[in-house]
Amino acid sequence: MLPSDVCGMNCFWEAAFRYSLKMQPVERVHLAVVACGERLEETLTMLKSALIFSIKPLQFHIFAEDQLHDSFKGILNSWSFLQTFNYSLYPITFPSENAAEWKKLFKPCASQRLFLPLILKEVDSLLYVDTDILFLRPVDDIWSLLKKFNSTQIAAMAPEHEEPRIGWYNRFARHPYYGKTGVNSGVMLMNMTRMRRKYFKNDMTSVRLRWGDILMPLLKKYKLNITWGDQDLLNIIFFHNPESLFVFPCQWNYRPDHCIYGSNCQEAEEEGIFILHGNRGVYHDDKQPAFRAIYEALRNCSFEDDNIHSLLKPLELELQKTVHTYCGKIYKIFIKQLTKSIQDRYDRPPKER
């Protein structure tokens, strides 16, 4: 303890408090993805985008087919010099009595995400993303939305559409869905402790059911009426439990539907795209070259600061070649937040990068 004239009468307690702060474990952001088939490169590019910009350490939970495990290990172990992440690899696992039915729902393995609260029992909160996601700002920022949940909210997603005239659920769905246009589950933030505790209202019984008990009855009732698999089941659940969902804006899950018929995500126009979602396979064909340009720039860049900083000018030149498309006409929203994220990364002390 230092003399009181050096650090005040509360010096002993201040010193103890500072010591206790140092001893607190660093909060990790938990990020989960499910990879099957030809999704290795896409998944690694998503993970790379998360690592480039994030501030807190990351814990990756990667659910993958067995034949992909060695490839994931090889690449992720080669990134260990970053010292900013840990990872766990898991096999694809469904309840044994209905495994075949779950595996073939919508796309191979996609419905794995429904069982994450039951498999990752020690994880309190989790950000699940599809393999075709790219982070254009720190993962920490979407993670911070957990603090905005009210006492009834257990998960967060973005609307499926902003414009009802081109909405899928409100025009074609043969099952209940959340809100006016449904929600998209490609980016899903979850308080899994709350999900495991909650009893859900449903249209199968007057008794409320827990997460682990509601999924199979729901599939049995609606399997002939659902098109988008697990996303449809989530829409049905939150239709009956709307108080449990936090809805975040479209810039956190920006898809081709937000620009292929003209721009309809106002938040992205104002602040840029925060998370890019290249569904419809647009990273790998020529239909939406603006999406492909962002994907290829992040796929090809390395973790060195100079390399990351220098990707912007070539990327903007590539995007300028896409102005013949509706999405390309507004290409500046694709790099607005990305430019800021790169600058913010550059401004941080080297130890925090």
Side-chain angles (χ1 to χ4, degrees):
M1 179 173 174
L2 295 171
S4 59
D5 60 340
V6 175
C7 67
M9 295 300 292
N10 294 323
C11 182
F12 180 85
W13 302 112
E14 288 169 5
F17 179 66
R18 284 197 296 273
Y19 179 75
S20 72
L21 281 179
K22 286 181 184 176
M23 296 301 289
Q24 295 295 322
V26 177
E27 182 192 7
R28 286 185 174 273
V29 172
H30 289 261
L31 178 65
V33 65
V34 179
C36 289
E38 304 295 315
R39 298 291 184 137
L40 176 70
E41 179 197 273
E42 201 172 78
T43 306
L44 289 168
T45 305
M46 178 276 290
L47 296 174
K48 183 196 284 186
S49 74
L51 286 167
I52 286 173
F53 300 120
S54 292
I55 300 163
K56 290 190 181 80
L58 299 174
Q59 175 66 50
F60 296 145
H61 300 275
I62 303 165
F63 291 78
E65 289 177 309
D66 294 345
Q67 65 267 27
L68 297 178
H69 281 220
D70 286 344
S71 299
F72 272 117
K73 286 176 186 173
I75 300 292
L76 293 171
N77 289 344
S78 76
W79 293 352
S80 61
F81 68 92
L82 295 170
Q83 298 183 327
T84 55
F85 75 99
N86 291 327
Y87 73 90
S88 300
L89 273 167
Y90 308 84
I92 300 297
T93 310
F94 296 111
S96 55
E97 64 272 20
N98 307 108
E101 201 160 0
W102 284 114
K103 187 156 188 176
K104 67 186 180 185
L105 183 66
F106 182 43
K107 291 180 181 177
C109 313
S111 57
Q112 178 74 82
R113 88 182 89 183
L114 295 174
F115 300 96
L116 297 180
L118 309 176
I119 297 170
L120 302 175
K121 293 177 182 175
E122 304 305 312
V123 178
D124 174 63
S125 294
L126 184 75
L127 176 63
Y128 165 85
V129 295
D130 286 348
T131 59
D132 51 10
I133 290 296
L134 292 171
F135 293 96
L136 305 185
R137 67 181 293 167
V139 183
D140 311 59
D141 296 336
I142 189 167
W143 189 256
S144 69
L145 297 181
L146 286 164
K147 296 187 177 74
K148 295 191 175 182
F149 283 19
N150 65 28
S151 60
T152 67
Q153 290 165 336
I154 63 170
M157 288 181 273
E160 173 68 15
H161 285 282
E162 299 300 307
E163 173 51 72
R165 286 176 296 176
I166 59 170
W168 195 91
Y169 284 110
N170 55 293
R171 292 189 297 157
F172 306 118
R174 294 178 294 151
H175 59 79
Y177 55 88
Y178 178 89
K180 291 182 179 178
T181 59
V183 283
N184 182 282
S185 59
V187 179
M188 184 176 179
L189 186 62
M190 295 177 268
N191 182 322
M192 297 203 300
T193 300
R194 290 185 182 181
M195 291 175 77
R196 287 185 286 262
R197 287 177 184 164
K198 183 175 173 63
Y199 287 82
F200 292 86
K201 298 189 292 287
N202 61 88
D203 60 359
M204 298 168 291
T205 169
S206 59
V207 178
R208 296 188 180 208
L209 299 173
R210 297 182 86 163
W211 190 262
D213 301 321
I214 199 173
L215 297 174
M216 196 61 217
L218 210 57
L219 178 61
K220 284 183 175 176
K221 176 168 182 176
Y222 285 105
K223 66 180 177 181
L224 299 178
N225 292 332
I226 59 178
T227 303
W228 308 113
D230 52 315
Q231 177 173 294
D232 291 347
L233 297 182
L234 290 167
N235 266 280
I236 296 166
I237 290 171
F238 288 109
F239 169 83
H240 293 291
N241 301 270
E243 74 288 347
S244 297
L245 190 66
F246 179 98
V247 179
F248 48 66
C250 47
Q251 70 213 93
W252 293 104
N253 185 351
Y254 190 92
R255 283 156 280 126
D257 284 340
H258 290 121
C259 55
I260 55 175
Y261 307 113
S263 180
N264 61 59
C265 177
Q266 186 177 342
E267 290 87 351
E269 291 175 30
E270 294 170 359
E271 300 178 280
I273 298 166
F274 296 169
I275 295 178
L276 195 70
H277 185 176
N279 64 348
R280 301 172 180 255
V282 293
Y283 296 150
H284 312 293
D285 62 29
D286 297 321
K287 292 178 181 175
Q288 297 303 329
F291 282 78
R292 183 169 180 168
I294 300 285
Y295 175 77
E296 291 182 348
L298 287 168
R299 180 194 65 192
N300 296 337
C301 87
S302 62
F303 289 106
E304 284 77 28
D305 285 338
D306 289 342
N307 191 290
I308 294 166
H309 205 259
S310 62
L311 72 77
L312 280 172
K313 282 193 176 176
L315 174 57
E316 186 161 9
L317 290 174
E318 282 301 309
L319 288 169
Q320 286 171 357
K321 297 175 186 175
T322 72
V323 294
H324 61 286
T325 67
Y326 276 118
C327 295
K329 280 185 171 67
I330 53 169
Y331 76 84
K332 289 190 176 178
I333 74 167
F334 284 76
I335 53 172
K336 187 172 188 175
Q337 177 59 50
L338 181 61
T339 303
K340 183 178 185 305
S341 296
I342 290 173
Q343 190 57 53
D344 288 349
R345 183 184 193 276
Y346 225 64
D347 291 343
R348 292 201 301 269
K351 285 186 179 180
E352 293 180 20
R353 290 178 194 165

